[in-house]
Amino acid sequence: MSTAQPLKKIASCVILDLDGTLLNTDGIVSDVLRVYLGKYGMQWDGREVQKIVGKTPLEAASAVVEAYGLSCTTSELLSEITPMFSNQWCNIKALPGANRLIKHLSGHRVSMAMASNSPRENIETKISFHQGWKESFSVIIGGDEVGLGQPSPEIFLEVAKRLNVDPSSCLVIEDSLPGITAGKAAGMEVVAVPSIPKQSHLYTSADEVINSLLDLQPEKWGLPPFQDWIKDTLPIEPWHIGGPVIKGFGRGSKILGIPTANLSTEGYGSLLSEHPSGVYFGWAGLSKRGVFKMVMSIGWNPYFNNTEKTIEPWLLHDFDGDFYGEELRLIIVGYIRPEANFSSLQSLIEKIHHDRKVAEEALDLLLFSKYKDDPYVKSST
C-alpha cells in the first residue's frame, strides 16, 4: 500500500450510501430498463445513466420517460418496473471492498449510518441479502423518510441528529453527484467513489475522489487503518475470466515493449461492471503452454484514452511468439493499485514494470501461489 497521506480531518462516524457505493445496482437497472424499453422498440444504451444515478425512484423514472419520449406517465412506468426491480434485489452483489469496509469499521466500533434516496423498505430488503450489514448500522434512513431527497442535505442532517453528533464530524462516502452535493451542503466531509466511468472530473466538490472502496485509506480521516495489505498488494476474493486471445502484442509490444494478451469483453459486461478499473494479478493458463504468473489491467487506459473497458493481461514469461486464438483462462487473486494517467510514456512504462515486480514477488507467497493449481486455470491446459 502506498504511504498514507496527511490526516485530513478526524471523523467520528461514517455515513454510507447504498446503491452504487456498496451494491452494484447498475447492472440490475440496465437489465430492467432494457426489458422495459424493448417493449417500445427502444434500446437502453445507458446514455441517460448520469441523470438517474443518486436520484429518487420518482426522479429517475421521470428522467427515463423524458429522455426516451415514452408515451406512458412517470407513475405508470414506476408501477410496472417496481415489481421487476423487487424480483432482482436478491441478485445484487456487493461491490469490491464493501464487505471489507463494513467489517473493518464495525470491528473497530466506528459508528456507521446508511443514507439513501431509495425508499426505506427497499433498503431493508436489499441489505437483508448481505450477512451482517443491517446490524452494523446504528441508523438507516431512506429517501421517503425525509421531506426532500438529495441533493438536499436533509437526509444527512437527520442522520447526524439521530446519532447525536456534529455534522462536521461525519464522513460521507457516496458515488453520485446529488449525494456529494448533499453531503457538502450538510457541512460534512465527503469521499466520492464515482460509479459512472471516466467522470471523476465532475466530482471536484468532494474532499477526496477514489477509484473504488479498495482504495479507501481510513487513516486519512482519523479512523483505524486497514491491516490487510501484503507486500503492496491486497488479497481479494478470487474470480475467473477466460476466452480466446483476440489481440494485444501490437501496441503493447511496439510502443510499450510489453506484450499483453487481450481477451474479448463480449459477454463479460456484467462481470466487468463488478470490478473496478485498476491493476490486478494472478495466474494464467494457456491451452497449449501451461500456467504462468500474470499481471493485468482492467479499464480504459487513460494515457491512451480507450473508449471501451478492456482486459489486458501480461503473462510474465518470455514466449517465442504470439498466441492469438489460444484459450486463455485467468484467476485473479490480488489487487495492486487503481488505474491512473501518466504525464509521459516513460513514466507509464516504468510503472508497468514496477507492477510486474510487485506481482511476481507476491505470487511467490503461499497465500497466492496456491492458486496456480486452480482447476479452472489448469483445465485450459
Side-chain angles (χ1 to χ4, degrees):
M1 183 79 177
S2 58
T3 304
Q5 299 298 311
L7 182 70
K8 288 179 176 286
K9 194 168 184 176
I10 295 178
S12 63
C13 71
V14 177
I15 305 174
L16 291 161
D17 172 52
L18 181 61
D19 300 312
T21 300
L22 296 177
L23 292 180
N24 182 29
T25 320
D26 294 349
I28 301 296
V29 170
S30 295
D31 290 344
V32 169
L33 290 178
R34 189 176 294 113
V35 171
Y36 183 83
L37 291 171
K39 294 172 24 176
Y40 288 86
M42 300 178 184
Q43 183 176 357
W44 168 254
D45 55 14
R47 68 176 184 266
E48 300 301 327
V49 67
Q50 197 165 317
K51 293 183 180 179
I52 66 175
V53 170
K55 299 293 183 69
T56 65
L58 185 64
E59 291 169 338
S62 177
V64 171
V65 170
E66 181 180 352
Y68 287 87
L70 301 180
S71 58
C72 65
T73 66
T74 298
S75 297
E76 289 170 341
L77 171 61
L78 266 182
S79 65
E80 188 162 349
I81 66 174
T82 296
M84 298 168 68
F85 277 120
S86 298
N87 292 334
Q88 294 295 322
W89 293 153
C90 60
N91 298 321
I92 304 178
K93 295 182 179 180
L95 284 163
N99 279 306
R100 171 183 178 241
L101 176 60
I102 292 172
K103 289 178 181 177
H104 175 74
L105 296 178
S106 179
H108 286 279
R109 300 187 181 280
V110 175
S111 180
M112 278 189 290
M114 181 176 289
S116 168
N117 262 353
S118 293
R120 174 65 180 269
E121 183 181 357
N122 288 1
I123 296 171
E124 296 274 4
T125 302
K126 292 172 191 175
I127 65 176
S128 70
F129 297 103
H130 298 271
Q131 187 175 5
W133 282 25
K134 184 175 181 178
E135 51 268 38
S136 296
F137 293 92
S138 302
V139 171
I140 297 175
I141 302 181
D144 57 339
E145 297 179 272
V146 293
L148 295 171
Q150 300 165 359
S152 163
E154 184 178 351
I155 194 168
F156 290 125
L157 293 173
E158 181 63 24
V159 168
K161 180 180 176 182
R162 294 191 192 183
L163 290 174
N164 194 28
V165 297
D166 191 289
S168 65
S169 69
C170 297
L171 175 65
V172 173
I173 302 180
E174 261 280 358
D175 73 299
S176 72
L177 288 172
I180 290 158
T181 301
K184 294 308 299 178
M188 300 177 177
E189 303 297 301
V190 179
V191 172
V193 194
S195 58
I196 302 176
K198 304 178 76 172
Q199 297 294 317
S200 296
H201 62 283
L202 299 177
Y203 292 73
T204 52
S205 62
D207 298 285
E208 182 182 22
V209 181
I210 59 176
N211 185 61
S212 77
L213 292 178
L214 299 177
D215 305 306
L216 182 68
Q217 296 183 52
E219 61 271 26
K220 288 185 177 182
W221 310 96
L223 299 169
F226 288 112
Q227 300 290 345
D228 50 358
W229 284 79
I230 300 171
K231 288 186 175 293
D232 294 325
T233 67
L234 177 65
I236 60 174
E237 188 70 27
W239 55 282
H240 302 93
I241 193 168
V245 177
I246 57 164
K247 59 181 180 179
F249 309 104
R251 184 177 73 191
S253 295
K254 295 173 183 176
I255 301 178
L256 302 175
I258 298 163
T260 57
N262 295 20
L263 292 174
S264 170
T265 57
E266 187 174 349
Y268 285 116
S270 60
L271 181 64
L272 285 180
S273 74
E274 294 172 20
H275 298 282
S277 59
V279 178
Y280 299 79
F281 65 94
W283 296 94
L286 269 174
S287 56
K288 300 177 182 178
R289 301 167 191 262
V291 178
F292 308 93
K293 293 179 178 179
M294 71 88 188
V295 62
M296 66 183 281
S297 70
I298 298 177
W300 290 267
N301 291 308
Y303 185 83
F304 294 104
N305 196 27
N306 289 357
T307 56
E308 296 182 357
K309 197 173 186 180
T310 59
I311 311 164
E312 300 187 13
W314 179 17
L315 277 59
L316 306 182
H317 179 80
D318 292 327
F319 294 97
D320 294 334
D322 64 52
F323 36 87
Y324 293 123
E326 284 192 39
E327 181 74 12
L328 176 64
R329 294 192 176 186
L330 310 175
I331 179 170
I332 296 86
V333 300
Y335 174 77
I336 296 177
R337 63 174 176 85
E339 189 174 54
N341 205 345
F342 295 88
S343 58
S344 68
L345 184 63
Q346 184 57 36
S347 61
L348 169 60
I349 293 172
E350 289 174 0
K351 191 63 174 177
I352 293 174
H353 281 283
H354 179 262
D355 294 334
R356 171 180 183 156
K357 183 174 183 292
V358 169
E360 284 190 313
E361 292 180 358
L363 287 166
D364 286 333
L365 301 174
L366 179 59
L367 176 67
F368 300 120
S369 64
K370 63 184 179 183
Y371 292 106
K372 183 177 182 180
D373 297 320
D374 181 78
Y376 175 81
V377 174
K378 295 204 76 172
S379 65
S380 67
T381 63

